[in-house]
Amino acid sequence: MPDQSTSQKSLKALSPEQTAIEVRNLSLRFGKKTALRDISLKIPKHSITAIIGPSGCGKSTLIGCFNRLNDLTPDCQVDGKVLVNDKNIYGSRQNVPILRSQVGMVFQQPNPFPMSIYENVVYGLRIKGITDRRILDDAAETALNMAALWDEVKDSLFQPAMVLSGGQQQRLVIARALALEPEILLLDEPTSALDPISTLQIEELIFGLKQKHTVVIVTHNLQQAARVSDQTAFLNQGELIEYSKTDTMFTMPLKQQTEAFITGRFG
């Protein structure tokens, strides 16, 4: 097993062709409050990256930078760069709606729209102007299969999405994001409101997604991070304390802060 310094060096040495997201000296403020301080890291393509840390440390804020979701918050100021496929998404020519279709987001609480299961999945495609029923049908079936939900809902596609259980609703929301064929999928504590069985279903789904997608998951559950991710970033008070391969971080953390958090001495 490689040592911790080797693990960190291997992540830093990724080429642009291997990198889905590169963060360079990123700082973010909401008004006078600093939420992120000088963060730099590279997230590999077709992998699962977990972001961990105590409540309020900046985990959700960080992934909100990856599709410029923080732009919706008043007085948000961003310094530094976030490169997606080697292009700075904070550049003046960035088309933000297109970015958000390429970098999808799933939130902590399932948020299906008040419409049918089918219409939830194809909603984004309709917004893009796609009306061909064959295309929509194929996209819905493909996305629901990828979200491991097709077999459960294929005979009730036109029932209200609200009839689904919490776990099914979260998989539906993931299917809705996948229908747009994003390169990157951001998951902000996607299982925190779910029961253990639904959590296991979502984790199995996440693990399978990296074959075609890059996944970044914020989680407060350290066991979940250890189970599903390839690499883990540990944040505290808006700073990146440590970033390395998950197996080495959880067995040989380099920083005392990391070890204290992983072992439950704080956070």
Side-chain angles (χ1 to χ4, degrees), residues 154-174:
K154 62 184 178 182
D155 296 323
S156 56
L157 290 175
F158 298 98
Q159 290 188 12
M162 298 304 178
V163 305
L164 299 175
S165 69
Q168 288 175 322
Q169 287 185 16
Q170 192 66 302
R171 282 182 284 149
L172 175 63
V173 172
I174 292 173

Side-chain angles (χ1 to χ4, degrees), residues 196-264:
I197 293 176
S198 297
T199 295
L200 178 60
Q201 290 175 320
I202 297 292
E203 289 182 1
E204 290 175 346
L205 164 60
I206 291 169
F207 193 76
L209 288 177
K210 71 176 182 178
Q211 302 302 319
K212 293 184 177 180
H213 306 271
T214 300
V215 180
V216 183
I217 177 172
V218 166
T219 180
H220 68 281
N221 186 325
L222 298 181
Q223 291 77 20
Q224 182 174 76
R227 284 193 299 264
V228 305
S229 69
D230 300 297
Q231 53 275 331
T232 298
F234 169 51
L235 269 63
N236 191 29
Q237 296 182 342
E239 297 182 357
L240 179 63
I241 306 301
E242 192 163 340
Y243 178 51
S244 69
K245 297 291 186 182
T246 296
D247 56 356
T248 52
M249 177 175 287
F250 279 85
T251 57
M252 296 181 294
L254 186 64
K255 302 292 183 66
Q256 289 185 348
Q257 281 190 64
T258 311
E259 183 178 9
F261 181 72
I262 290 173
T263 57

Side-chain angles (χ1 to χ4, degrees), residues 22-28 35-42 57-59 61-62 66 79-82 233-241:
E22 181 178 356
V23 181
R24 295 181 184 173
N25 306 113
L26 177 70
S27 296
L28 182 144
L36 300 173
R37 294 181 181 85
D38 196 29
I39 291 177
S40 296
L41 57 81
K42 291 183 178 181
C57 71
K59 302 186 296 293
T61 301
L62 178 59
F66 298 163
D79 295 315
K81 294 182 178 181
V82 176
F234 169 51
L235 269 63
N236 191 29
Q237 296 182 342
E239 297 182 357
L240 179 63
I241 306 301

